[in-house]
Amino acid sequence: MRIKTFILLISLSTFYSCAKEYSCEDCIPPSPPEVKTVQITDITINSARFHGELIKTGNLLITEFGFCWASHPIPTLGDNKIGFGQTDSLQSFDSLQNGLSPNTIYYLRAFATNSIGTVYGQELSFKTEVLCRDTSLHFDGIYINNTGSFNNDHVDIGANGPMSVIGTNLSYTIEAWVKRGHVSYPNGLERIYSKDNVFQFRVVNDNFIGEIGSASIQTPYPADTFWHHLAFVRDKSSNTLKLFIDGQLKVTAADISGAVSNNGSMVCIGARNNGGGIYELWTGNLKYLRVSNVARYSNSFIAAQRYSTDVNTLAIWPCNDASGNVLKDISGNNDGGITNAEWRFGVCY
């Protein structure tokens, strides 16, 4: 009996020893998940892209993961939230969030939830960009169905818009702030402001060109996509044509133009309206287009960021309406109808 009892004790001791050694050796007990707030990119006036990483699931199904944010520190699921549903796999994730307010500091945390609870990643903060008072009008330069459709981006001012009639002895200035959508467009025709066969303010074959009737002048356009101030001057006091870029006089030529009558074609911004369609599309942005019946510049000058009306102003389109399909002339005479061009908001630094 003692021998049997001894054997039984040895057997039980061996069993419990083995059970203790092997039963949980490879087990990972359930735990809360782990998530990381990685970074914030692509920040604009009203949007930003959030990046996160799910590091551990806690050996359980993740019932939801994503981001939460607020304009105060330590955001939670009770604030703004975007979730990506269930998963049982580790992964990186991101989301472009729109609808943010300009010039606002936001706080962001990634989160993940399983049956044990919700955890948050570290808090990151960012500030949306400032919405300027100035906006611009954007023309995409894309032909609809590869034709001169009247739905291509442009603004019609009307057949009697500024400079529809060119006087023999009158001086003129056309000027604007422009931002080209590409560095180069060889063999390209792009009109900024024109009336067919009367006057042109445009870029052709990467050259900035001004024309009145059959008289023209040109200079190379900068090979970049930055904002530039362009000015075309017809100065009858010196009988010259002049082109300026960013206030610098680039070229002067004799003015051989004379009077040009109104031919009934449309004064057009951002394209050519030849009566049969919309062609020679501008690709880029435009703001503060001014037309004057005076030679405003004779030598290099400092280009103003914005203008006000005076006795020599024929039209000023600031392009800062920011909404709607009417381009307002602040001189009050030459509002234009916008077709498909879009408002873009400036960024202040």
Side-chain angles (χ1 to χ4, degrees):
M1 182 65 180
R2 288 181 178 178
I3 294 174
K4 291 182 179 180
T5 301
F6 179 72
I7 293 172
L8 178 60
L9 289 172
I10 292 175
S11 299
L12 289 172
S13 175
T14 302
F15 172 78
Y16 286 118
S17 175
C18 292
K20 181 178 180 182
E21 182 177 357
Y22 295 107
S23 64
C24 291
E25 179 180 13
D26 299 319
C27 295
I28 301 175
S31 64
E34 186 175 341
V35 68
K36 180 180 180 181
T37 314
V38 177
Q39 63 178 338
I40 303 159
T41 63
D42 303 333
I43 300 170
T44 71
I45 59 171
N46 57 9
S47 65
R49 186 174 294 277
F50 307 151
H51 300 263
E53 184 178 358
L54 185 58
I55 299 173
K56 293 181 181 179
T57 65
N59 204 31
L60 292 168
L61 176 69
I62 298 296
T63 55
E64 188 177 31
F65 65 105
F67 302 100
C68 58
W69 67 94
S71 57
H72 58 77
I74 315 177
T76 68
L77 299 186
D79 295 304
N80 301 294
K81 182 195 78 170
I82 182 167
F84 299 104
Q86 298 181 349
T87 186
D88 57 4
S89 62
L90 306 181
Q91 58 189 279
S92 297
F93 54 96
D94 67 86
S95 174
L96 178 63
Q97 180 58 43
N98 296 301
L100 304 177
S101 298
N103 195 30
T104 302
I105 297 175
Y106 286 96
Y107 300 85
L108 173 75
R109 294 199 294 177
F111 76 90
T113 302
N114 65 15
S115 59
I116 293 180
T118 297
V119 298
Y120 297 92
Q122 69 272 38
E123 180 179 273
L124 299 179
S125 65
F126 66 99
K127 186 177 182 179
T128 49
E129 293 176 337
V130 178
L131 175 61
C132 288
R133 291 180 60 193
D134 287 344
T135 58
S136 62
L137 197 58
H138 175 74
F139 302 82
D140 64 20
I142 299 173
Y143 283 90
I144 298 175
N145 299 322
N146 295 316
T147 70
S149 167
F150 279 95
N151 288 320
N152 291 331
D153 289 12
H154 71 288
V155 180
D156 277 336
I157 304 301
N160 298 309
M163 295 178 62
S164 291
V165 176
I166 304 295
T168 302
N169 297 310
L170 287 180
S171 297
Y172 297 100
T173 301
I174 304 172
E175 58 188 313
W177 283 95
V178 303
K179 181 180 180 183
R180 204 176 183 203
H182 38 235
V183 172
S184 180
Y185 188 15
N187 303 314
L189 301 167
E190 300 174 278
R191 297 207 188 189
I192 302 168
Y193 176 67
S194 71
K195 180 179 175 72
D196 216 30
N197 298 314
V198 176
F199 67 87
Q200 322 294 336
F201 186 73
R202 58 180 178 165
V203 177
V204 178
N205 299 333
D206 296 330
N207 288 302
F208 168 38
I209 295 179
E211 302 173 47
I212 289 181
S214 59
S216 68
I217 186 172
Q218 65 180 355
T219 190
Y221 186 92
D224 59 44
T225 57
F226 303 134
W227 281 103
H228 293 286
H229 182 270
L230 306 183
F232 169 42
V233 174
R234 182 206 204 192
D235 188 347
K236 294 309 295 184
S237 67
S238 60
N239 211 37
T240 57
L241 302 177
K242 298 179 180 181
L243 293 180
F244 299 82
I245 298 179
D246 296 327
Q248 298 300 305
L249 176 60
K250 294 297 183 179
V251 62
T252 300
D255 178 19
I256 60 171
S257 65
V260 184
S261 60
N262 189 339
N263 60 12
S265 63
M266 192 74 67
V267 174
C268 192
I269 296 174
R272 173 193 182 191
N273 184 339
N274 68 355
I278 305 300
Y279 298 92
E280 300 181 24
L281 311 181
W282 174 251
T283 302
N285 293 47
L286 171 66
K287 63 182 180 180
Y288 274 95
L289 170 59
R290 176 167 69 174
V291 184
S292 307
N293 61 0
V294 66
R296 290 194 179 271
Y297 315 112
S298 57
N299 298 298
S300 295
F301 61 96
I302 298 175
Q305 293 293 319
R306 52 184 58 88
Y307 331 114
S308 57
T309 60
D310 59 25
V311 295
N312 297 116
T313 300
L314 297 179
I316 298 179
W317 297 281
C319 303
N320 61 2
D321 306 271
S323 64
N325 58 4
V326 176
L327 184 64
K328 298 292 182 61
D329 168 18
I330 62 174
S331 75
N333 301 313
N334 299 280
D335 291 351
I338 300 172
T339 299
N340 285 334
E342 297 179 343
W343 296 107
R344 294 292 171 88
F345 298 100
V347 176
C348 299
Y349 296 95

